Amino acid sequence: LEPRERGYYTGALVMAHAHGFDSWLLIRTFFRDAGGWSVGVGAGITTLSEPAAEARECLQKWDSIAWRAEGGA
């Protein structure tokens, strides 16, 4: 359905350490690899989701981080 893999852009990240676990939901995520930086945003899609509302939510999430990537405070 999609032309390439999504990679890590959403889901959960869990790290175990001596004092227990830490976990994060990856809904606004920056990644850096040999090709440079990339960013991913996502939304929780369910059977009750409205596609247009989910698309708006993704754009709002992107807007909330894009200005920082462009040098915002």
Side-chain angles (χ1 to χ4, degrees), residues 6 9-10 26-27 41-46 49 53-55 57-58 61:
R6 290 183 182 195
Y9 85 103
T10 191
L26 305 175
I27 57 173
V41 297
I45 307 296
T46 71
S49 296
E54 298 298 337
E57 181 180 338
C58 287
K61 289 175 183 176

Side-chain angles (χ1 to χ4, degrees), residues 46-69:
T46 71
T47 57
L48 300 176
S49 296
E50 295 180 27
E54 298 298 337
R56 281 192 306 276
E57 181 180 338
C58 287
L59 292 174
Q60 289 169 344
K61 289 175 183 176
W62 168 249
D63 286 344
S64 75
I65 59 175
W67 67 275
R68 288 178 179 88

